[in-house]
Amino acid sequence: MSIAIAQARHIFGLKSGVSGNICYHDEQTIVYPSGANCILYNIDQKVQKFIPGTDKSEGMTALAVSPNRRYVAIAEKLEKPTITIYDLHSLRKRKVLSSPDVAAAEYVSLAFSPDSKYLVAQGGKPDYTLLYWTWEKSKVMAVTKTSNPQTNPPIYQVSFNPQDNTQLCVVGNGIFKNFRYSEGNLKTFNIQKVEPQNYLCHAWVSEERVIVGTDTGRLMLFEAGEMKHEFNIAAMERDKKPGEEEVATGPPQITAIVAYSKGFACACGPGTVHLFEKTDDKDFFKKAREIKIPQDSNSADPTKSQQQIITSLTVSPSEETLVASTDLSQLYYITLSSADIGKGDQAHFEVLAQAFHYGQIMGLDVCARKPLIASCSMDKSVRIWNYETCNLELYREFAEEAYSIALHPSGLYILVGFSDKLRLMNLLIDDIRTFKEFTIRGCRECAFSNGGNLFAAVHGNVIQIYSTITFENVANLKGHNGKVKSIVWSSDDSKIVSCGLDGAVYEWETYTGKRVGESVLKSCHYTGVAVTPDGKTTFAVGSDKSLKEISDSSILREVDAGETTLSNVALSHSGRMLFGGTSKGTLWSLKFPLTIPGEWQELQGHGSQIAKMKITYDDQFLVTVSEDASIILWKIQDKEGRGVKRDKEVGWAEEILITKSDLEEKNQMMAELKTRVDELKMENGYQLRLKDMNYNEKIKELTEKFIQEMESLKTKNQVLKTEKDKEEAKHEEETAEIMEKHSKEMTDLESANNQKLMLEYEKFQEQQAKMMKMQEDYERQLAEMEESKQHALEELTEYYETKIQEMTTKLEQANDETRQQTREYEETKKQIEEDADREILDIKNKYERRLRDEKEANMRLKGETGIMKKKFTSLQKEIDDHKDEIKKYQAEKAKLENIIRNLEKDILGLKKEIQERDDTIQDKEKRIYDLKKKNQELEKFKFVLDYKIKELKKQIEPRETDIKNMKEQIQEMESELDRFDKLNTQLELNITELRQKLKATDKEMHQERQRVRDKEAVVKRFKTDLHNCVGYIQDPKMLKESIKALYQKHVQEDITESASVDADIQKEYSRQREHLERSVASLRKKLAKDSEIHRADNVRIMQENVSLIKEINDLRKELKIARTQIHDLEAAVKQYTKRTGGEDTDVFAVMLKAPSALMENELEEKNKIIDMQKFEIKKLRMELETGSRPGSSARLPPMQAVESSA
């Protein structure tokens, strides 16, 4: 007995009607409301996080994300409207704000201050109270009423100045107010001086400027309460489409504005966003382009999507993406970079995430063989969702409303109950197509059997069962007196359980159509029913706020749900988890088996009544749909971890349906595209070749030019070097002259200065004496002055005391006079003010006239200045050209100077290299010295190596025998090579004979050709003569003479004999020629075969020779190394014996008698090495014995060098 765990995994849907219902948390995450939750959706990873709504909440009304992207404020309807602030990183509740000052039922708009410390909330009707909070302390700083108390028009939006925490802006119907917070009050300032309009939205484009949108398609730019500029978007649209009349609904309304650094975007009219960018002077804005919602190809009316009203706009923190939400609960986005928008003025939005339902969802079903969910809605759409990938697989909008849906277990068909008919449809790869219709109007419930061979559909109060194969009506289940609200098949398809508004729960036998169980409670209108896997127990919910467990036509248990009405119930296929959906939109996970009183866990999900609930066939997910157009996918788990274990090897079915015509079309398209690709490849190849040709020519030209320029630069460089040398010589001469002059001047100045110093010193002594006298005089005068000053001070004090007394009397008189004058001044002031008002009006009119004149004069001057500017620019261009030429010359000079510097650097670098190499030589000498020391140490250990020498000698002897064997093999191979050489020479002789024969036949052929040419020449001559004869066809005499001449010229006496002889010769010649040709052809074939065989043999022999040569060379190297080692060791031993003088024999005797541990280890190692080498020798012998006898055309090098070294 346990309560199953359920966690929301994904929510499909968007709650419209929430102020600011789309915001950015960071570059990848958007925040939007859905059902009773606030969703954080990661666009890249397609993952959702959830902030659940407050218990007993009636739904969200406003949303705002702080400028530092850390907090979100959610306003909800409760008994008293509340604002809840959540941390977007931890998703924890930070503060709950509510105030008794608000009489409204909801908050219309929320906004955070630029530093995210303050929050402003605009209350709704009736009083439209504005609250200014320090939300971290939950303290209301100021309260004010923003609407007019007489008319009480609605307020739509409130916002903070992006640079000032104390400045607010509020817009509404006829209301545009700026407030400033000071000393606990919100005071209006910068009162607008424009006729009030219905202001729908606004945005701050700078510290002092606000752009405001109206319901008449006007954008107004205000600065300090004054309207600076007005954009009439409605008029712009009319100018673009002059043929179209204004729709009866009136001009397009500006419903949303968002500002960013380059300008602002505003939604005006159905499905359209206008982008405005700052002009060059940055004070005004110009329209850059339009962005429209694209047509929906899956809808019966593709233009319907373009009629959506955009209610909210937001820009990503990096200002790369613009996201829009619509009144039909859809989300769209576009990247703002110019590359993505394209070159045209108009661009199109793309759907963000998926296209959601926007009408009440009526039907729901899940598939057994595929991870699919099917849903239908009052928005006339049918949608197929994938609950594993959380994607929308397929959707289509129809002309009629869809009330119910059933998904075939194979996932290839759906049954949809439309308002006019029940339709069985194919789920194709990219479409949903009807293939059978049933005359059931407004079918509210339908369901396929678990096997898929039958389906049940509700027709009024009757449940009709049809065969999926023959489409025959198998049975009609009659008995309900009211509308049937739910039908469920048992797991073995033997029973159907139904419930209805008539308070009846019936159990039917499928094949007979008989009613086998019933439970009637007329006081309850049943809305949902579920059956256990064994089909014995039924769970039903209805209007009496309780859950009933029915078995054998009687109610076993009745669990009271308290104040809540359960609208639906679902039981897992394992029969261990039970869930209930409520009329409030919450999900109940009930303790199962049921207990009285019931136990459950309530989870916040939807914003209104749960219409349908289904659990997937693997008991992993629960799907709920609601009247608020949202679908929630819940991850469910039994607390004990038990459930239906799906066979992972089977996997999901991957079959799809596609019509033959579609497949043929796609294949045809593929073929066409392939041909097109081939053509394009050909074209591109040809163009590339042309380009290569052109580029090669250009490269040649450039290289020639470059070479010429290089030569010219070299000559210039030489000239400059010579000039430089000359200049240096001149400079040296000049410096020498200046130095001489300078030294002369220095000597002259020194002598003159010495004389002056002497004179000045004498003057100084005289002045000092005078100063002493003056000082004495001044001291005497000072003493006299002090005495006189004291006398004068005494006299002055007496005089001023008398004067003060006189002045006080005068002051009293003056005060009396001032009182009289103030009264007179006030009377004159009133008269002057009246005169001043009159004068101001006169002056105003006068200056207005003067202003007009000044403006006209200004326009004239602007024209003149434009002409002057053009002249100035042309002159400026000429100056710039001259400057560019000067810069070029300077650059060339700098280049040459750089070359000189680089050469000097190279010289320094080479000097450094020489020093470094000297250092390396010294280091190497040191190393040589160290190596010599090591060599001396190694000589000390030589006597131990005598044993190794003996072992190596033993190893060398078998190798020498191997080498002898190898030599014998090589001699045999050389004899074979001689034989092959003889064969080759014989074949070459045969080839020469055949070639001679061929030459003879060629000569005969040339002779015959010459004869043929001669004959052809005779025929040509005869033809020309005959043509001349034909010319005399009218003159018989001339014709006769010409024919005689022709006969004499061409006919000879012995023609018959020669002709017969020539014919025999010709036959014999042709016979011999054929024979020779055949023999030549056969010989050629033989030659080709023989040459191929010999070539293969030669290649094989060559390869074998190469491998043998390599082996021999390796053996030679090893022999040399071994011999050098032996030689070195023998020499070392000799030297040692000379030093010790016969002591070595004793040492070796001792070593042999009592070998140490070290010696034993060494012996073992040597034995191992010997065994290894013996094994290698055996392997080589085996290879030599088994390998085929080698042969080669090239001779091997002789073995004498090895013998000599031995």
Side-chain angles (χ1 to χ4, degrees):
M1 290 176 73
S2 62
I3 298 170
I5 299 160
Q7 287 180 324
R9 187 194 176 206
H10 204 92
I11 301 179
F12 302 102
L14 170 72
K15 186 178 173 68
S16 58
V18 177
S19 172
N21 68 346
I22 184 79
C23 305
Y24 262 97
H25 166 39
D26 55 40
E27 195 60 38
Q28 289 82 34
T29 312
I30 54 167
V31 182
Y32 62 90
S34 180
N37 299 279
C38 184
I39 295 171
L40 277 75
Y41 178 66
N42 189 305
I43 298 161
D44 293 344
Q45 296 172 3
K46 296 184 178 177
V47 175
Q48 290 183 349
K49 291 179 184 176
F50 308 100
I51 298 170
T54 315
D55 294 344
K56 298 177 183 178
S57 167
E58 292 175 33
M60 296 179 198
T61 57
L63 191 78
V65 170
S66 63
N68 63 6
R69 314 278 175 191
R70 190 151 176 211
Y71 306 107
V72 64
I74 301 166
E76 292 175 288
K77 269 189 184 180
L78 286 160
E79 290 174 9
K80 273 193 174 182
T82 58
I83 300 162
T84 315
I85 292 164
Y86 293 89
D87 191 316
L88 283 170
H89 297 293
S90 63
L91 304 181
R92 288 181 182 172
K93 200 181 283 187
R94 286 293 301 266
K95 281 282 181 285
V96 178
L97 310 175
S98 64
S99 173
D101 298 324
V102 180
E106 62 182 2
Y107 288 108
V108 173
S109 179
L110 300 174
F112 276 97
S113 64
D115 61 0
S116 307
K117 289 181 180 178
Y118 302 97
L119 179 75
V120 68
Q122 176 63 61
K125 58 185 178 184
D127 56 350
Y128 291 101
T129 308
L130 184 70
L131 300 172
Y132 185 89
W133 303 78
T134 51
W135 64 268
E136 287 179 337
K137 295 176 184 176
S138 303
K139 185 182 176 185
V140 178
M141 302 286 283
V143 180
T144 188
K145 295 220 173 15
T146 50
S147 190
N148 294 328
Q150 295 86 16
T151 53
N152 210 20
I155 304 293
Y156 302 121
Q157 192 186 353
V158 63
S159 71
F160 269 100
N161 183 321
Q163 305 294 326
D164 189 355
N165 285 343
T166 61
Q167 197 174 329
L168 308 170
C169 181
V170 176
V171 293
N173 190 352
I175 288 164
F176 174 65
K177 291 181 180 180
N178 284 316
F179 290 94
R180 181 169 276 131
Y181 173 76
S182 66
E183 298 171 359
N185 290 309
L186 286 167
K187 295 173 183 175
T188 53
F189 73 102
N190 288 343
I191 296 159
Q192 60 172 355
K193 300 170 179 113
V194 186
E195 283 184 20
Q197 297 190 40
N198 189 1
Y199 303 112
L200 300 177
C201 54
H202 74 280
W204 293 83
V205 289
S206 71
E207 195 175 343
E208 294 179 345
R209 295 179 163 224
V210 182
I211 192 94
V212 185
T214 69
D215 64 344
T216 56
R218 292 168 187 271
L219 278 170
M220 297 179 179
L221 184 65
F222 288 96
E223 186 175 355
E226 286 185 22
M227 192 172 79
K228 290 285 180 185
H229 197 72
E230 186 179 339
F231 308 93
N232 193 337
I233 296 174
M236 287 181 198
E237 290 296 306
R238 279 199 297 274
D239 294 340
K240 268 192 178 181
K241 303 168 186 174
E244 290 182 21
E245 291 181 13
E246 200 170 285
V247 188
T249 52
Q253 298 184 346
I254 293 167
T255 50
I257 303 175
V258 66
Y260 58 104
S261 60
K262 290 181 185 175
F264 65 89
C266 70
C268 181
T272 309
V273 170
H274 301 265
L275 285 184
F276 285 82
E277 290 180 357
K278 289 177 184 175
T279 54
D280 295 334
D281 58 2
K282 294 188 178 178
D283 288 334
F284 292 101
F285 298 88
K286 65 173 182 182
K287 186 179 169 184
R289 56 180 64 82
E290 277 183 21
I291 307 165
K292 283 191 174 285
I293 291 171
Q295 289 190 354
D296 187 359
S297 58
N298 293 313
S299 176
D301 179 11
T303 58
K304 189 181 176 182
S305 64
Q306 293 183 315
Q307 301 305 313
Q308 297 179 78
I309 302 298
I310 292 165
T311 56
S312 186
L313 292 170
T314 187
V315 176
S316 65
S318 66
E319 298 187 351
E320 278 195 9
T321 313
L322 175 72
V323 177
S325 66
T326 69
D327 60 336
L328 296 184
S329 303
Q330 304 300 322
L331 289 173
Y332 295 95
Y333 80 99
I334 192 165
T335 48
L336 286 171
S337 58
S338 56
D340 291 335
I341 285 175
K343 293 175 184 176
D345 287 339
Q346 202 173 88
H348 289 283
F349 278 107
E350 290 178 46
V351 176
L352 182 71
Q354 296 94 16
F356 302 128
H357 280 296
Y358 55 86
Q360 183 180 339
I361 299 172
M362 301 294 288
L364 173 74
D365 202 4
V366 292
C367 180
R369 291 283 292 114
K370 290 183 181 181
L372 299 180
I373 303 164
S375 63
C376 67
S377 167
M378 294 297 279
D379 58 17
K380 301 177 183 177
S381 73
V382 170
R383 294 170 199 259
I384 309 297
W385 313 84
N386 188 316
Y387 61 77
E388 275 204 338
T389 60
C390 299
N391 277 335
L392 178 63
E393 292 274 308
L394 201 60
Y395 83 96
R396 189 146 190 82
E397 282 191 22
F398 296 93
E400 297 86 22
E401 290 169 344
Y403 295 126
S404 61
I405 194 164
L407 189 54
H408 193 269
S410 67
L412 300 175
Y413 318 105
I414 54 166
L415 190 68
V416 186
F418 288 100
S419 55
D420 58 345
K421 282 180 183 177
L422 178 72
R423 291 183 175 89
L424 189 62
M425 297 179 164
N426 282 329
L427 289 180
L428 302 178
I429 189 168
D430 55 359
D431 198 6
I432 300 169
R433 286 189 198 165
T434 307
F435 76 94
K436 179 69 181 171
E437 291 183 344
F438 302 91
T439 55
I440 300 172
R441 291 174 66 83
C443 176
R444 296 276 174 173
E445 286 294 324
C446 60
F448 277 104
S449 64
N450 293 310
N453 59 324
L454 300 170
F455 67 84
V458 173
H459 189 187
N461 301 339
V462 180
I463 301 165
Q464 294 183 338
I465 298 171
Y466 288 86
S467 169
T468 313
I469 299 148
T470 60
F471 309 120
E472 289 177 6
N473 188 352
V474 177
N476 290 321
L477 312 178
K478 296 176 183 176
H480 282 284
N481 297 322
K483 283 184 180 178
V484 178
K485 293 297 286 180
S486 182
I487 51 171
V488 182
W489 290 82
S490 64
S491 57
D492 59 355
D493 294 339
S494 61
K495 291 178 186 177
I496 289 178
V497 177
S498 64
C499 70
L501 297 176
D502 56 354
V505 176
Y506 293 139
E507 198 176 310
W508 312 85
E509 201 169 74
T510 312
Y511 298 104
T512 60
K514 289 179 182 177
R515 192 161 64 202
V516 292
E518 61 179 56
S519 173
V520 181
L521 187 71
K522 289 188 177 178
S523 61
C524 177
H525 301 300
Y526 284 112
T527 53
V529 71
V531 183
T532 54
D534 58 7
K536 290 177 181 177
T537 310
T538 306
F539 298 94
V541 292
S543 59
D544 64 346
K545 297 177 182 177
S546 66
L547 170 65
K548 295 172 186 69
E549 186 179 342
I550 301 163
S551 182
D552 298 329
S553 303
S554 62
I555 297 166
L556 290 179
R557 287 180 195 84
E558 190 171 346
V559 177
D560 186 25
E563 299 274 319
T564 310
T565 304
L566 291 165
S567 59
N568 227 301
V569 68
L571 183 70
S572 67
H573 296 86
S574 64
R576 294 194 185 97
M577 295 182 279
L578 184 67
F579 298 95
T582 69
S583 57
K584 296 186 293 181
T586 56
L587 178 73
W588 282 15
S589 177
L590 294 138
K591 189 174 184 180
F592 191 79
L594 292 176
T595 57
I596 297 172
E599 289 180 44
W600 61 81
Q601 188 181 347
E602 190 170 16
L603 300 161
Q604 291 294 318
H606 296 280
S608 55
Q609 182 175 318
I610 291 174
K612 295 281 175 191
M613 294 170 70
K614 290 279 179 183
I615 293 173
T616 58
Y617 282 80
D618 56 1
D619 283 352
Q620 293 290 311
F621 300 103
L622 166 70
V623 188
T624 58
V625 297
S626 167
E627 292 172 4
D628 63 2
S630 64
I631 302 169
I632 302 183
L633 186 66
W634 304 83
K635 181 86 173 79
I636 58 170
Q637 192 183 351
D638 185 359
K639 269 198 175 172
E640 294 168 14
R642 295 174 299 176
V644 177
K645 288 185 180 176
R646 182 175 173 77
D647 191 355
K648 288 182 182 177
E649 288 178 10
V650 175
W652 298 113
E654 291 182 356
E655 298 84 17
I656 50 159
L657 287 180
I658 186 163
T659 59
K660 192 179 178 182
S661 59
D662 286 351
L663 195 65
E664 284 170 356
E665 274 176 28
K666 279 178 181 173
N667 289 335
Q668 195 177 345
M669 270 179 72
M670 276 173 74
E672 285 171 7
L673 287 164
K674 276 180 184 174
T675 52
R676 178 76 182 131
V677 165
D678 294 335
E679 286 169 12
L680 284 165
K681 276 182 182 174
M682 291 281 284
E683 283 176 24
N684 288 333
Y686 178 65
Q687 284 174 359
L688 279 165
R689 281 188 219 107
L690 284 173
K691 280 180 182 176
D692 285 339
M693 295 277 283
N694 291 330
Y695 287 137
N696 287 330
E697 286 171 9
K698 282 178 184 176
I699 286 159
K700 280 178 185 175
E701 288 172 10
L702 285 165
T703 47
E704 286 169 6
K705 279 183 186 176
F706 180 69
I707 290 157
Q708 287 171 2
E709 284 174 6
M710 281 282 283
E711 285 170 358
S712 63
L713 282 164
K714 278 177 184 176
T715 51
K716 273 184 187 177
N717 196 10
Q718 286 171 356
V719 171
L720 284 162
K721 274 183 181 177
T722 51
E723 283 177 4
K724 185 199 163 198
D725 294 335
K726 286 175 186 175
E727 287 289 325
E728 278 179 354
K730 272 185 189 178
H731 182 67
E732 282 170 4
E733 287 170 10
E734 284 172 4
T735 48
E737 286 171 8
I738 288 159
M739 287 294 283
E740 284 172 11
K741 280 181 185 178
H742 181 68
S743 59
K744 283 175 187 176
E745 284 173 3
M746 280 284 285
T747 50
D748 295 338
L749 280 163
E750 276 177 2
S751 59
N753 279 329
N754 287 329
Q755 287 171 3
K756 281 179 184 177
L757 269 164
M758 292 295 285
L759 291 165
E760 287 293 326
Y761 185 68
E762 286 169 3
K763 281 180 185 177
F764 172 71
Q765 283 178 341
E766 286 172 11
Q767 289 290 329
Q768 206 168 8
K770 278 182 185 178
M771 193 190 77
M772 292 294 283
K773 284 176 187 176
M774 289 282 279
Q775 205 169 357
E776 287 169 2
D777 292 336
Y778 278 121
E779 280 173 359
R780 258 188 272 116
Q781 283 174 7
L782 266 166
E784 288 169 5
M785 287 288 280
E786 277 177 359
E787 286 173 5
S788 61
K789 190 184 171 185
Q790 280 177 353
H791 288 297
L793 260 168
E794 286 168 1
E795 287 170 6
L796 280 164
T797 47
E798 287 172 4
Y799 172 71
Y800 277 111
E801 278 172 359
T802 53
K803 271 215 169 191
I804 285 161
Q805 287 173 358
E806 288 172 10
M807 287 298 281
T808 48
T809 54
K810 282 180 184 179
L811 249 170
E812 286 170 2
Q813 289 171 6
N815 282 329
D816 296 330
E817 286 172 8
T818 49
R819 287 187 198 108
Q820 286 177 353
Q821 282 173 359
T822 48
R823 290 191 202 104
E824 288 170 7
Y825 168 72
E826 281 172 0
E827 287 174 6
T828 49
K829 187 185 170 186
K830 282 177 186 174
Q831 290 171 0
I832 288 159
E833 278 176 352
E834 288 170 4
D835 296 333
D837 288 335
R838 285 193 212 97
E839 282 175 15
I840 284 159
L841 286 165
D842 297 333
I843 289 159
K844 193 180 180 184
N845 294 326
K846 183 181 163 185
Y847 277 109
E848 278 175 354
R849 283 192 217 100
R850 200 179 285 177
L851 229 165
R852 283 186 209 122
D853 298 335
E854 286 289 331
K855 277 180 182 174
E856 287 169 5
N858 198 10
M859 289 296 283
R860 281 200 302 278
L861 287 163
K862 272 184 183 174
E864 287 170 14
T865 49
I867 295 155
M868 290 300 285
K869 271 182 184 175
K870 282 176 185 174
K871 285 180 182 176
F872 175 72
T873 49
S874 62
L875 288 164
Q876 194 71 36
K877 277 180 186 174
E878 286 176 14
I879 290 156
D880 290 336
D881 294 337
H882 288 305
K883 280 180 180 175
D884 291 335
E885 284 176 10
I886 290 155
K887 280 177 185 174
K888 279 178 188 174
Y889 291 129
Q890 283 174 350
E892 282 177 8
K893 188 186 170 189
K895 278 179 188 174
L896 292 163
E897 283 173 355
N898 283 328
I899 291 159
I900 291 155
R901 283 189 206 115
N902 291 331
L903 289 164
E904 284 171 353
K905 281 177 186 175
D906 291 342
I907 291 155
L908 287 165
L910 289 163
K911 282 178 181 177
K912 281 180 184 177
E913 273 185 27
I914 290 156
Q915 283 178 350
E916 284 169 4
R917 284 185 182 179
D918 289 338
D919 295 335
T920 50
I921 288 156
Q922 286 174 0
D923 293 335
K924 281 180 180 177
E925 282 173 353
K926 281 178 185 176
R927 280 186 73 189
I928 289 157
Y929 179 73
D930 294 334
L931 288 164
K932 279 179 181 176
K933 275 188 176 179
K934 279 185 184 177
N935 204 6
Q936 286 171 1
E937 287 172 7
L938 287 164
E939 281 175 359
K940 291 174 186 175
F941 299 105
K942 272 186 183 176
F943 75 95
V944 183
L945 297 167
D946 285 326
Y947 189 80
K948 284 185 182 177
I949 290 158
K950 287 174 185 175
E951 294 297 323
L952 285 163
K953 277 180 182 175
K954 286 175 187 175
Q955 286 176 19
I956 288 156
E957 284 169 2
R959 290 210 179 180
E960 282 177 342
T961 55
D962 288 341
I963 288 157
K964 281 176 188 175
N965 293 330
M966 289 282 202
K967 278 180 187 175
E968 286 169 4
Q969 280 185 0
I970 288 155
Q971 282 170 0
E972 284 172 5
M973 284 158 80
E974 281 175 351
S975 63
E976 269 190 11
L977 268 171
D978 291 330
R979 195 173 75 251
F980 279 124
D981 282 333
K982 282 172 188 176
L983 276 167
N984 278 333
T985 50
Q986 202 169 352
L987 286 164
E988 279 170 2
L989 285 166
N990 290 337
I991 288 155
T992 49
E993 281 175 8
L994 289 164
R995 277 178 183 161
Q996 283 170 1
K997 284 178 184 176
L998 259 171
K999 279 178 185 175
T1001 51
D1002 281 331
K1003 276 181 185 177
E1004 283 175 3
M1005 192 177 76
H1006 285 306
Q1007 285 169 4
E1008 283 298 313
R1009 279 179 182 167
Q1010 190 63 44
R1011 282 177 197 166
V1012 169
R1013 285 190 204 110
D1014 294 339
K1015 294 287 180 190
E1016 280 173 355
V1018 169
V1019 170
K1020 272 186 183 178
R1021 284 199 297 276
F1022 181 79
K1023 279 179 181 178
T1024 51
D1025 292 340
L1026 203 136
H1027 187 266
N1028 293 332
C1029 287
V1030 171
Y1032 302 116
I1033 198 99
Q1034 299 296 327
D1035 192 353
K1037 285 180 181 180
M1038 288 296 287
L1039 185 69
K1040 193 178 179 183
E1041 284 172 5
S1042 63
I1043 286 163
K1044 275 180 183 178
L1046 218 162
Y1047 182 82
Q1048 286 166 5
K1049 189 177 180 181
H1050 291 288
V1051 179
Q1052 293 163 4
E1053 290 178 310
D1054 58 343
I1055 195 154
T1056 54
E1057 288 177 27
S1058 64
S1060 63
V1061 170
D1062 288 342
D1064 293 335
I1065 290 159
Q1066 194 79 23
K1067 280 178 185 176
E1068 183 63 31
Y1069 168 75
S1070 62
R1071 191 175 61 74
Q1072 284 178 1
R1073 187 180 171 185
E1074 281 172 8
H1075 174 70
L1076 283 164
E1077 279 175 354
R1078 280 193 209 105
S1079 60
V1080 166
S1082 63
L1083 284 163
R1084 273 180 185 161
K1085 283 176 184 175
K1086 274 183 182 178
L1087 204 148
K1089 281 180 183 176
D1090 290 343
S1091 61
E1092 188 63 38
I1093 291 156
H1094 284 297
R1095 193 174 63 76
D1097 288 339
N1098 284 336
V1099 167
R1100 184 176 55 76
I1101 290 157
M1102 280 290 285
Q1103 286 172 353
E1104 287 171 356
N1105 277 343
V1106 166
S1107 63
L1108 283 163
I1109 287 158
K1110 275 183 184 176
E1111 284 177 13
I1112 289 157
N1113 286 333
D1114 293 338
L1115 287 163
R1116 280 176 184 168
K1117 282 175 187 175
E1118 283 177 14
L1119 254 169
K1120 275 183 183 179
I1121 291 157
R1123 279 178 179 156
T1124 50
Q1125 283 178 351
I1126 290 157
H1127 190 267
D1128 293 341
L1129 289 164
E1130 281 173 352
V1133 168
K1134 281 173 186 176
Q1135 283 178 355
Y1136 182 73
T1137 49
K1138 280 175 187 178
R1139 283 181 203 160
T1140 52
E1143 285 177 15
D1144 56 344
T1145 52
D1146 299 332
V1147 170
F1148 278 113
V1150 171
M1151 280 169 75
L1152 287 164
K1153 282 175 187 176
S1156 64
L1158 273 167
M1159 286 292 286
E1160 280 175 1
N1161 288 332
E1162 280 182 357
L1163 277 164
E1164 280 175 7
E1165 282 174 7
K1166 299 296 177 260
N1167 286 325
K1168 280 179 186 176
I1169 290 160
I1170 288 156
D1171 292 335
M1172 286 287 286
Q1173 286 180 344
K1174 277 179 182 176
F1175 182 72
E1176 280 180 1
I1177 288 157
K1178 274 183 189 176
K1179 267 178 79 177
L1180 283 164
R1181 278 177 183 163
M1182 289 289 285
E1183 280 173 11
L1184 285 164
E1185 282 168 9
T1186 54
S1188 60
R1189 195 169 67 181
S1192 174
S1193 59
R1195 295 197 175 190
L1196 290 165
M1199 297 295 288
Q1200 290 171 3
V1202 178
E1203 286 167 12
S1204 62
S1205 65

